[in-house]
Amino acid sequence: MNEDPAAPEEVGPRSPGGPVPESAPNTAGRPVAWLLLAGILLGAGVVSLYGEVWWTGPARFVPAATEVPWPLSEFGGGEGSKGLDVADYRMVIARVVGNARAIAYAPSQLFARAQCYPLENALIVADPMLASGLLAAPGVFVSSDPLVAFNSYLVLMALFSGAAMCALVWKWSGVPAAGIVAGLIYALHPYKVGNVSHAFIFDTAWTVLALFFAQRLFDRGRIVDGLALGLCCVLQMAEGFY
C-alpha cells in the first residue's frame, strides 16, 4: 500500500456534492408571511374552540366543564365527581377573576384576596393563579362581568400558549412550519383544553417561554433575555403548585 506523506489528511466524510458552503441558504422564507399564517391558523383554532360561547353570550355562558383527564373514582366518582368538578370550576372562575381585578385596580390587596380570607396573606396557602389573573386582566377592563373576564382569559391563554410554543420550536428547528404545527398542537390539544374547570393546571406556557429566552440568553448573552427568563420562571411558579 503506497501512501503519499505529503498528501493532506482528510478529516471527516466528504460531501458528495463538494465542499459545504460556509452559510446555508435561509429556508425560512419570508418571516412576516409565516407569522401571518401562524396567526390565522391559531386564531381559527381558537374560534372553533370557544366561538360558540362568544356567539351565544360570554356574559351568560362558559365552556362546559368536561370530564377531567384523570380518574376521579378515588374521590367518589359518578355524580359526586361531577359535583366536585362544578365546585372547582366556580372556585377557579372566582380566583382568576378576583386576581385580575386586584392586579388591575388594587395591587396592594392581591395577597389578601383569596379563598382563605381573612387569613393574612391568604393567597400563599393555595394555588395562586397569578399568571391566570394577569391574562384575565384585559377582560376586567373591558367588562365588569366575571364571566366575560374568564372567557377572555381562556381565549388569551390559548393564543399565548400557541404563540410561545411556535416561537420556541421555530427557533430550535429553524423551520417555521414546524413551529406552527407545534404551536397548534400545544394550544389546542384535547388534554390541555378539555378541562377548562382546571385550566390553570395545564397553563405551562410560561415554562415554554422560559426555554425560549434561555436559548436566546445562551446565544446572545444579553441581560434583557436573562431578565425575561427569570420573569417567566416566577410567573410559572406563581400559577400553581400542580
Side-chain angles (χ1 to χ4, degrees):
M1 180 177 181
N2 295 328
E3 295 183 355
D4 184 359
E9 181 181 357
E10 291 188 4
V11 179
R14 295 186 61 184
S15 172
V20 178
E22 294 183 0
S23 59
N26 182 10
T27 59
R30 297 181 178 179
V32 174
W34 283 110
L35 288 173
L36 182 61
L37 178 61
I40 292 173
L41 293 178
L42 185 57
V46 172
V47 168
S48 67
L49 190 63
Y50 298 123
E52 184 178 358
V53 172
W54 285 86
W55 293 328
T56 54
R60 299 171 55 198
F61 302 98
V62 290
T66 57
E67 291 295 329
V68 295
W70 59 82
L72 277 176
S73 56
E74 308 170 6
F75 306 99
E79 293 299 322
S81 68
K82 295 180 181 179
L84 176 64
D85 198 30
V86 171
D88 278 359
Y89 204 171
R90 292 173 178 171
M91 182 272 293
V92 169
I93 293 174
R95 288 295 309 280
V96 170
V97 178
N99 286 344
R101 287 176 175 171
I103 291 171
Y105 300 114
S108 62
Q109 300 296 316
L110 182 60
F111 280 78
R113 303 175 72 170
Q115 70 262 37
C116 293
Y117 179 84
L119 184 68
E120 185 177 358
N121 292 326
L123 188 73
I124 66 176
V125 298
D127 293 290
M129 304 185 205
L130 288 178
S132 293
L134 190 64
L135 290 178
V140 169
F141 287 114
V142 172
S143 173
S144 60
D145 192 289
L147 296 188
V148 173
F150 187 78
N151 281 320
S152 67
Y153 151 70
L154 294 177
V155 170
L156 288 178
M157 184 176 67
L159 293 173
F160 176 68
S161 298
M165 183 60 75
C166 179
L168 178 64
V169 174
W170 187 340
K171 183 170 184 59
W172 278 358
S173 66
V175 181
I180 294 174
V181 172
L184 290 172
I185 293 175
Y186 178 68
L188 307 175
H189 194 280
Y191 191 88
K192 183 176 176 64
V193 301
N195 184 16
V196 289
S197 56
H198 301 87
F200 73 99
I201 297 177
F202 305 95
D203 184 14
T204 56
W206 294 105
T207 297
V208 174
L209 206 58
L211 292 172
F212 174 78
F213 283 113
Q215 181 70 53
R216 286 169 61 95
L217 177 62
F218 291 133
D219 288 344
R220 308 190 305 177
R222 295 178 57 180
I223 189 172
V224 65
D225 294 319
L227 293 174
L229 169 60
L231 178 62
C232 291
C233 291
V234 168
L235 286 172
Q236 186 64 76
M237 290 186 288
E239 182 65 350
F241 308 122
Y242 282 93

